[in-house]
Amino acid sequence: MTDRPLTLMAVHAHPDDEATGTGGVLARYAAEGIRTVLVTCTDGRCGDGPGGVKPGDPGHDPATVALMRRQELEASCDVLKISDLETLDYADSGMMGWPSNDAPGSFWQTPVEQGAARLAELMRHYRPDVVVTYDENGFYGHPDHIQAHRITMAALEMTALTPKVYWTTMPRSGMQRFGDIMREFHEDMPEPDPAEAAAMAEIGLPDDEITTWVDTTAFSGQKFDALAAHASQGENIFFLKMGKERFGALMGMETFVRVKDVTGAAVPENDLFAGLR
């Protein structure tokens, strides 16, 4: 027996990713007395600046944006009652194909073994029972999400730890609902071209391939408020436009695929800690 608390570690790419993909589980497990550790890999400098100014436009100061987004991240952590925040502070690489992908010091340019070694030290310190990150495509192809996946899986190999490991995902049955709601709130949104539509159709997994469905409906208000804490990125967070009640109905279930497990817990499961308590 040990007095060490059960621990969840979520490894995310940018400030605000913690709320979008895992805000529900972070809030739920914190309320259950589980230690919640968030590792944010980049500084978010490629996000919108004050007044919505875009990266590369006049008036966009990456250092100012990074500081602002750090403050928003801390506010989000307060809302979600996250126990421990760790920031690796690599430079945000921007979207795939942006010039910032090639910038020295960007997360995308960081050798995987270097980032993994830093993350492995955090894993040895916190000794997580559950680790959550993205799949090999970073869910939708963002370079920093892909890199977060790579360093997480490499870090696990560097340690002697055997946590349950999950990748975030979304059921394909829910993707159509998201598309319909986005068009509802953006009536002028054009229909995607065939190539884009085909790529979107590959996001997420068929429902029967999802191993873990965690009901976080009771914590959807906290998830909404955590997203709202990232006010500078509000233009990109269309979920906030639907209000808390509808948001809760749509975002109350968080889904994952379990990729490493030593507990033998049966799947599908409804608890990341199934087999551990």
Side-chain angles (χ1 to χ4, degrees), residues 40-63:
T40 301
C41 296
T42 80
D43 59 9
R45 65 178 51 216
C46 290
D48 291 354
V53 63
K54 302 297 182 185
D57 287 351
H60 187 280
D61 177 33

Side-chain angles (χ1 to χ4, degrees), residues 136-182:
E136 59 266 73
N137 190 46
F139 185 60
Y140 68 98
H142 193 296
D144 288 330
H145 290 225
I146 294 170
Q147 190 75 330
H149 163 85
R150 290 173 176 171
I151 74 162
T152 301
M153 302 312 291
L156 288 162
E157 292 297 318
M158 292 177 178
T159 73
L161 303 173
T162 57
K164 297 178 78 177
V165 180
Y166 294 89
W167 297 342
T168 57
T169 192
M170 183 175 292
R172 296 249 172 95
S173 64
M175 291 302 296
Q176 180 65 45
R177 292 176 64 203
F178 274 102
D180 293 343
I181 290 172
M182 286 185 72

Side-chain angles (χ1 to χ4, degrees), residues 19-29 169-171 174 177-178 181 212-224 227 239 242-256 270-271:
T20 306
T22 55
V25 291
L26 287 166
R28 170 179 162 168
Y29 290 123
T169 192
M170 183 175 292
R177 292 176 64 203
F178 274 102
I181 290 172
T212 312
W213 304 70
V214 184
D215 185 353
T216 62
T217 305
F219 303 93
S220 60
Q222 278 176 263
K223 182 172 179 173
F224 184 96
L227 278 169
F239 307 110
M242 64 181 69
K244 278 189 177 181
E245 183 175 350
R246 194 165 182 193
F247 176 88
L250 182 68
M251 303 288 285
M253 184 71 71
E254 292 185 350
T255 50
F256 307 86
N270 60 11
D271 179 10

